[in-house]
Amino acid sequence: MSGCRLFLRRAAAAGARQSLVAPRASRRLLRTGPPRRAFAKELFLGKIEKKGVFPFPEVSQEELNEINQFVGPVERFFTEEVDSGKIDREGKIPDDTLEKLKSLGLFGMQVPEEYGGLGLSNTMSTRLGEIVSLDGSIAVTLAAHQALGLKGIVSFGTEAQKAKYLPRLASGEHVAAFCLTEPASRNNTGSIWTRATLSEDKSHYVLNGSKVWITNGGLAEIFTVFAKTKVVDSDGSVKDRITAFIVERDFGGVTNGKPEDKLGLRGSNICEVHFENTKVPAVNVLGEVGGGFKVAVDILNSGRFSLGSVVAGMLRKLIELTAEYACEKKQFNRKLSKFGLIQEKFVLMAQKAYAMESMSYLTAGMLDHPECPDCSIETAVVKVFSSEGAWQCVSEALQILGSSGYMRNHPHERMLRDARALLLLEGTNEILRMFIALTGLQHAGRVLTPRIKELKGGSMAVVMETISRRLWDTLGRTVDLGLMGNPGVVHPSLGDSATKLEENVYYFGRTVETLLLRFGKTIVEEQLVLKRVASVLINLYGMTAVLSRASRSMHIGLQDHDHEVLLASTFCAEAYFQNLFTLSQLDKDDPGNLDKQVKKVSQHILEKRTYICAHPLDRTS
C-alpha cells in the first residue's frame, strides 16, 4: 500500500488505530557506489563540488503528486482547527488536537512503511514541515518525537527493536523523547553523569540520573537515553563510555517534573526526567555498548536541517500577515507600503525565506540521494541560518506593525517569543558555528597537511609556487570554477552572481590554508576566528542554494522566475560583500580585526563580574 493511500486512510478515519501496512519498494535507491564528496567540506579547499548541487534536486512526478495529496488535509487542519492562541495561553496542546495529528499520520512521517509509518523522504517531510510550522509548539513536539526521539531506533535499532517500538511510535500511541542534556553537562556528552550499571547476570542495566529540558518529557512512553557505562578497551583497561538505551516508562523508576513555564513555544511539554534504579534490559542497548556518542551525533546532525522548512513556512505566513497590514494601514496620509524603510523590511524577509527554502530543499535532496555524502555541515548551516533569520525577520515584521504587534492578542508577539527559542534548540548557534568551522578545517587539514609541512620545512619549490600564487591573487586573478561558460550550470541571467560566488569560494580556500599554516592545531582555541570562518561558509552555502534554485526556475520557466532571479542576485550581492569584509578580518594585521581589543575588554568585565565604567555623573574627589 502506498504512503499516499495510508495517509488518506488515516485522514478519513481520524483517531482510528492503523494496522501495519505491507512493505513496498523504498523511494530511496540503494547505494551502489562510494558516497560523493561532501559539498560544504570541499568549499574549505576552495572548490565547488557541482554534482548533486547543480542542477537543483527534483522529485519525480509520482512523488510530487503524493506530496500534494498530503498537503491538503494537513493544511486544512492547521488552518481551520488548530487554535494557536489558545495553545499559547493555556501552555498545552489539547488532547483532541494531538489525536488528530496522530490520525493524520504526522507522528510517523519518516518511520518506514513496514513499521506502520508514512515512510516519507526527507524532501516530502520538509514540505509537510512548512505547514506544521503554522504552530510552533506543535512543530517542536513533532520534531522532538520524530527527528530526535525515535530517530535512533530507525537508524541504529535492531530488527527486533524496530518491530517492537516503531509501530506504536508511528501511530502516536506512544510518544518519544530524546534524553541527552543534564544540569551540569548541557549538550556536552563528555560530561554526562547519568550512569547505567550492568547487572551481575548481564541481563539488564540499572539506570540512575536526571535529564533536563526534555521536550515531550511528560508525554513520552519511550525515551532514547544516554548514560555512562563501563567498557573494557582492547588493552584490557576499563573506561567510562557513553551508551544509548531505549527506555520504557513502564520499566519503573521513571518520573518527570512539572512542565517548564517558558517564554515561547509554550504549548510544548518541556520538563525534567528522572531515572531511579530503572531496570533496562540489555537487549535495549541502542547501537553498540560505548557507542552512544556516535548515536547522539548522528541523530542531532540529521534532524537539524528540518528547521529550515519550518522557519520558511512561518515566514511565508508572516509576510502575508504583515503585507496585508502594510498595504492597508496609513501613516502621514500614505500607506505604509509606500515608505522605503518599510519596503526594505519586506525585501529582507523575502530574501531570508527564499534562502532558507533553497538551503533546506537542497540539503533534503542531498540526504535523499543514494550516494548521500556526509551532510553534517550542511544541516548545521541550515539550522544556524534559519534560526537567526527567523529572529531577525519576526522582529522586523513586528516593527512594521508598531505597538499593535507588541500586544498579547496579536500573532506577531507569539511568533517573536517562539522564534527566540530556535537559536537554542538542537545545539546553540555558538556551538554549531564552532562545529561548522572545525569540521571543515579538519577536512582541509587532512588534505593540505603535506603541503603545509613542505612550506614549514622550507621546500623551495612549494614556497616559490605559493609566493607566485599570492602575487597573482593580489594583482587580480580571474577565477573560474565552472559555474558559467560552456557547459555551465548557472543560468546566464545569474552570471554576475555566479562570478561573485566563485571568487568568494576561491579566496575562502586560500584563507583556510593560511589559517592552518598560522595556527595549526591550536586553531581549536581561536573561537573568534572560527566564528568568522563559519559565517563565510554559511553565506557560501546560501549563495550556492539560491543560484541553483533560481537557475532551475529559469530553465524550466516557472511562474515568477524573474522575481526569483532578483531575490537570488540581491542575496548573493549582499553575501559577497559580507564575505569580503569577513575574510579581510581573518588577516591578523587587518585594521578591521579587533580580536585583541575584544579579549581585553571581556577580560576586564569578567574578572570583576560587572560593568566597570564609572557612572557619567561621578567625579574625582
Side-chain angles (χ1 to χ4, degrees):
M1 180 180 293
S2 73
C4 180
R5 291 199 296 273
L6 174 62
F7 176 85
L8 295 175
R9 185 177 72 179
R10 284 179 168 172
R17 181 176 298 177
Q18 303 300 319
S19 60
L20 292 182
V21 294
R24 66 168 175 81
S26 171
R27 295 184 188 86
R28 183 178 299 183
L29 300 175
L30 294 176
R31 178 175 292 171
T32 56
R36 56 175 178 243
R37 286 177 292 184
F39 176 79
K41 287 183 177 179
E42 291 298 296
L43 292 176
F44 282 82
L45 297 170
K47 299 177 182 179
I48 297 177
E49 175 63 32
K50 294 181 282 293
K51 188 176 181 182
V53 177
F54 295 97
F56 197 74
E58 289 188 328
V59 297
S60 66
Q61 187 60 50
E62 177 188 0
E63 191 170 1
L64 183 61
N65 293 340
E66 198 167 346
I67 292 173
N68 291 334
Q69 290 186 71
F70 288 173
V71 166
V74 177
E75 199 160 39
R76 282 195 299 274
F77 169 66
F78 274 86
T79 303
E80 299 172 5
E81 298 185 43
V82 173
D83 187 342
S84 294
K86 179 182 178 182
I87 291 173
D88 184 68
R89 287 190 304 272
E90 297 183 356
K92 182 179 184 295
I93 301 171
D95 291 340
D96 61 335
T97 300
L98 286 173
E99 289 305 313
K100 186 62 182 289
L101 292 168
K102 295 172 184 179
S103 71
L104 287 170
L106 296 180
F107 275 75
M109 285 189 283
Q110 287 193 298
V111 175
E113 290 183 69
E114 57 265 36
Y115 300 109
L118 298 179
L120 303 186
S121 65
N122 288 288
T123 300
M124 294 177 76
S125 295
T126 298
R127 178 67 184 97
L128 286 182
E130 294 178 39
I131 304 169
V132 171
S133 71
L134 294 176
D135 185 277
S137 295
I138 291 176
V140 167
T141 298
L142 291 175
H145 169 76
Q146 294 188 101
L148 297 175
L150 63 78
K151 182 68 175 180
I153 302 176
V154 173
S155 300
F156 294 93
T158 65
E159 286 305 313
Q161 289 171 342
K162 292 176 182 179
K164 179 177 181 180
Y165 292 110
L166 289 180
R168 283 184 288 185
L169 289 169
S171 68
E173 179 184 347
H174 283 173
V175 175
F178 181 81
C179 295
L180 174 64
T181 309
E182 297 190 5
S185 68
R186 315 302 288 174
N187 284 327
N188 179 9
T189 57
S191 52
I192 283 177
W193 289 96
T194 297
R195 179 168 292 279
T197 305
L198 186 62
S199 62
E200 289 187 7
D201 62 3
K202 299 184 179 182
S203 65
H204 65 273
Y205 287 83
V206 178
L207 182 65
N208 284 282
S210 296
K211 303 289 183 175
V212 295
W213 318 127
I214 306 304
T215 306
N216 296 344
L219 305 176
E221 290 84 12
I222 306 298
F223 304 85
T224 298
V225 183
F226 297 86
K228 280 185 176 178
T229 53
K230 296 291 184 184
V231 176
V232 180
D233 270 3
S234 55
D235 62 0
S237 62
V238 178
K239 295 183 179 179
D240 281 336
R241 292 283 186 269
I242 304 300
T243 300
F245 296 90
I246 304 170
V247 180
E248 300 178 26
R249 189 180 287 272
D250 288 345
F251 286 165
V254 181
T255 58
N256 59 267
K258 294 190 300 183
E260 300 287 350
D261 188 11
K262 305 174 294 298
L263 173 69
L265 304 174
R266 292 180 56 78
S268 59
N269 184 285
I270 299 178
C271 62
E272 295 183 6
V273 177
H274 308 284
F275 304 94
E276 185 176 357
N277 295 324
T278 301
K279 291 185 178 181
V280 183
V283 294
N284 275 41
V285 168
L286 189 56
E288 298 179 357
V289 174
F293 178 79
K294 174 177 170 52
V295 175
V297 169
D298 184 85
I299 292 171
L300 290 170
N301 284 343
S302 65
R304 289 187 179 116
F305 88 97
S306 61
L307 190 63
S309 65
V310 168
V311 172
M314 182 186 75
L315 289 189
R316 279 179 175 265
K317 183 67 175 177
L318 182 73
I319 292 171
E320 180 184 329
L321 289 171
T322 312
E324 182 71 24
Y325 179 87
C327 291
E328 296 297 329
K329 178 72 174 177
K330 285 189 175 182
Q331 195 73 282
F332 308 114
N333 294 319
R334 294 174 65 189
K335 290 182 177 178
L336 285 180
S337 58
K338 300 298 182 182
F339 291 97
L341 292 180
I342 301 300
Q343 294 167 355
E344 183 184 44
K345 296 181 189 299
F346 281 102
V347 174
L348 170 72
M349 289 188 280
Q351 268 185 217
K352 295 289 186 184
Y354 187 73
M356 286 174 203
E357 287 180 335
S358 304
M359 295 161 79
S360 295
Y361 281 96
L362 177 59
T363 307
M366 291 178 178
L367 291 169
D368 285 334
H369 196 278
E371 296 176 5
C372 174
D374 171 20
C375 294
S376 57
I377 295 180
E378 288 85 348
T379 59
V381 164
V382 172
K383 191 273 179 182
V384 172
F385 182 87
S386 300
S387 57
E388 293 178 356
W391 176 242
Q392 185 180 9
C393 290
V394 178
S395 179
E396 293 286 15
L398 192 147
Q399 190 73 13
I400 294 172
L401 268 72
S403 298
S404 60
Y406 198 67
M407 299 299 108
R408 279 277 187 185
N409 62 350
H410 205 284
H412 284 64
E413 181 269 345
R414 183 183 70 252
M415 287 181 177
L416 186 74
R417 288 185 285 106
D418 287 351
R420 188 59 187 84
L422 303 181
L423 284 79
L424 306 172
L425 295 176
E426 297 188 33
T428 67
N429 286 5
E430 289 76 15
I431 291 173
L432 291 180
R433 272 192 158 82
M434 298 302 101
F435 170 80
I436 290 166
L438 288 172
T439 304
L441 288 168
Q442 184 182 49
H443 172 72
R446 282 195 292 264
V447 176
L448 297 174
T449 292
R451 175 182 172 80
I452 291 173
K453 284 183 177 179
E454 288 181 332
L455 278 171
K456 288 184 175 181
S459 169
M460 187 57 64
V462 177
V463 169
M464 292 303 297
E465 187 270 336
T466 301
I467 294 173
S468 173
R469 189 174 62 184
R470 289 182 179 177
L471 178 61
W472 192 11
D473 291 346
T474 303
L475 294 174
R477 170 193 296 271
T478 299
V479 179
D480 182 4
L481 299 181
L483 296 184
M484 299 299 296
N486 186 22
V489 293
V490 173
H491 192 272
S493 62
L494 292 157
D496 183 61
S497 297
T499 300
K500 286 181 168 64
L501 172 60
E502 289 178 322
E503 183 183 324
N504 272 176
V505 169
Y506 174 80
Y507 287 107
F508 179 60
R510 301 288 70 78
T511 301
V512 165
E513 182 177 325
T514 301
L515 292 174
L516 291 172
L517 186 60
R518 189 202 315 173
F519 292 108
K521 293 181 180 180
T522 65
I523 198 168
V524 298
E525 303 297 332
E526 300 293 333
Q527 291 198 350
L528 298 179
V529 171
L530 296 174
K531 176 187 175 182
R532 294 189 185 102
V533 170
S535 294
V536 174
L537 191 281
I538 291 168
N539 274 343
L540 294 180
Y541 191 56
M543 292 168 77
T544 303
V546 299
L547 286 176
S548 180
R549 178 183 174 188
S551 293
R552 170 185 176 270
S553 298
M554 288 295 292
H555 282 302
I556 67 176
L558 276 186
Q559 185 178 2
D560 297 321
H561 54 263
D562 289 337
H563 182 70
E564 290 193 40
V565 169
L566 191 58
L567 281 176
S569 299
T570 307
F571 178 87
C572 288
E574 291 187 0
Y576 170 77
F577 289 110
Q578 288 171 5
N579 287 342
L580 289 183
F581 178 68
T582 305
L583 289 171
S584 70
Q585 285 183 308
L586 286 168
D587 183 342
K588 65 179 178 180
D589 298 319
D590 186 85
N593 186 320
L594 303 176
D595 289 0
K596 289 182 180 178
Q597 293 91 320
V598 168
K599 291 177 181 178
K600 187 176 291 185
V601 171
S602 66
Q603 182 181 4
H604 292 165
I605 295 169
L606 296 173
E607 279 179 352
K608 297 188 177 181
R609 302 187 182 188
T610 187
Y611 174 67
I612 63 177
C613 295
H615 191 277
L617 299 180
D618 284 354
R619 299 179 60 181
T620 57
S621 58

